[in-house]
């Protein structure tokens, strides 16, 4: 488990790399962070995926703003009590455009393909909060590189914007799994239905589930939004997807 740096067109990405201890090549996974960024909890999630037999890259997608952590975070994050945290994240988030994110994704995928720590085949992608949208964009932008993609408590996945992630459905060839929170103002029922319609009409192999009683951010154990049962459900679905599509 280590921190690495990757050069991009816009600077240098700091990223966390987790892998099994045997030193051999393993199927690659790209893990996209939530808005709170690359921090100990996300590293622990990457470590769990590594323990399941994957080489996992977790880039700091806000690297244009600064190295992780890009904002100072408490050990336990409760935005309702600390609204200034969300306000502080805003400037960092605005440095990441869809176009820039996909330029960066090409770098992440190329590194994973070329690394002796991976098997060099198609990768799995998973993302959380804003990272779920990045996972969908990556699957749609680089369909030849992504075999499986998942998103959990995703935000703004099927909006009216001309660059909404759901508009890439027709390019996706990966199998998808989406775990939505039903207590989530950033991903309301009408957007979930719009995304489902787009994926179905495009013939994308997918499973989309709404986690009853779950809040936006339910997988993040260092936040007030955490839900233990929903998180374990997420792990079961994610590990099953990757086991079938990446390791066979």
């Amino acid at each position: 488990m280590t921190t690495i740096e990757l050069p991009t067109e816009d600077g240098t990405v700091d990223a966390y790399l987790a892998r099994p201890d045997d030193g051999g090549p393993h199927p690659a996974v790209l893990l996209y962070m939530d808005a709170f960024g690359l921090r100990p909890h996300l590293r622990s999630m990457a470590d769990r995926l590594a323990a399941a037999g994957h080489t996992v890259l977790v880039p700091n997608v806000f690297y244009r703003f600064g190295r992780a952590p890009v904002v100072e975070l408490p050990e336990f994050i409760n935005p309702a009590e600390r609204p200034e945290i969300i306000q502080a994240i805003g400037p960092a988030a605005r440095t990441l455009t869809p176009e820039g994110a996909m330029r960066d994704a090409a770098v992440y995928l190329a590194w994973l393909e070329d690394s002796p720590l991976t098997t060099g085949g198609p990768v799995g992608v998973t993302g959380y909060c804003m990272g779920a949208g990045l996972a969908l964009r990556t699957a749609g932008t680089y369909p030849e590189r992504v075999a499986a993609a998942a998103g959990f408590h995703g935000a703004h996945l099927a909006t009216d914007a001309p660059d909404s992630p759901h508009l890439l459905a027709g390019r996706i060839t990966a199998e998808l799994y989406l775990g939505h929170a039903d207590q989530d103002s950033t991903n309301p029922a009408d957007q979930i239905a719009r995304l489902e319609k787009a994926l179905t009409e495009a013939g994308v192999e997918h499973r989309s589930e709404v986690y009853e009683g779950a809040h936006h951010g339910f997988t993040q154990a260092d936040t007030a939004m955490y839900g233990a049962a929903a998180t374990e459900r997420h792990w079961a679905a994610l590990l099953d997807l990757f086991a079938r599509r990446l390791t066979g």
Side-chain angles (χ1 to χ4, degrees), residues 57-209:
L57 183 69
V58 191
N60 165 29
V61 302
F62 292 160
Y63 72 91
R64 292 172 180 83
F65 188 82
R67 294 180 64 87
V70 295
V71 298
E72 184 176 349
L73 295 170
E75 289 187 12
F76 183 75
I77 303 166
N78 187 346
E81 295 180 355
R82 297 281 304 277
E84 72 275 10
I85 295 173
I86 301 298
Q87 295 170 2
I89 289 170
R94 286 191 286 273
T95 66
L96 185 68
T97 64
E99 296 79 14
M102 290 305 96
R103 288 198 306 272
D104 296 341
V107 173
Y108 310 147
L109 294 171
W111 188 90
L112 288 168
E113 183 175 15
D114 295 340
S115 172
L117 300 174
T118 75
T119 53
V123 308
V125 184
T126 185
Y128 302 86
C129 176
M130 55 167 272
L134 294 176
L136 280 177
R137 290 189 192 280
T138 301
T141 305
Y142 302 102
E144 72 286 355
R145 295 293 305 126
V146 180
F152 298 92
H153 46 82
H156 312 298
L157 300 179
T159 71
D160 294 327
D163 58 358
S164 175
H166 80 287
L167 297 176
L168 291 168
R171 291 179 45 84
I172 294 173
T173 58
E175 180 181 345
L176 302 186
Y177 178 88
L178 298 161
H180 306 290
D182 75 344
Q183 307 294 311
D184 190 348
S185 62
T186 71
N187 190 34
D190 64 318
Q191 289 196 33
I192 294 174
R194 181 183 292 166
L195 176 58
E196 175 69 20
K197 182 174 184 288
L199 294 173
T200 299
E201 290 182 349
V204 177
E205 184 179 1
H206 71 283
R207 185 153 56 106
S208 177
E209 298 183 325

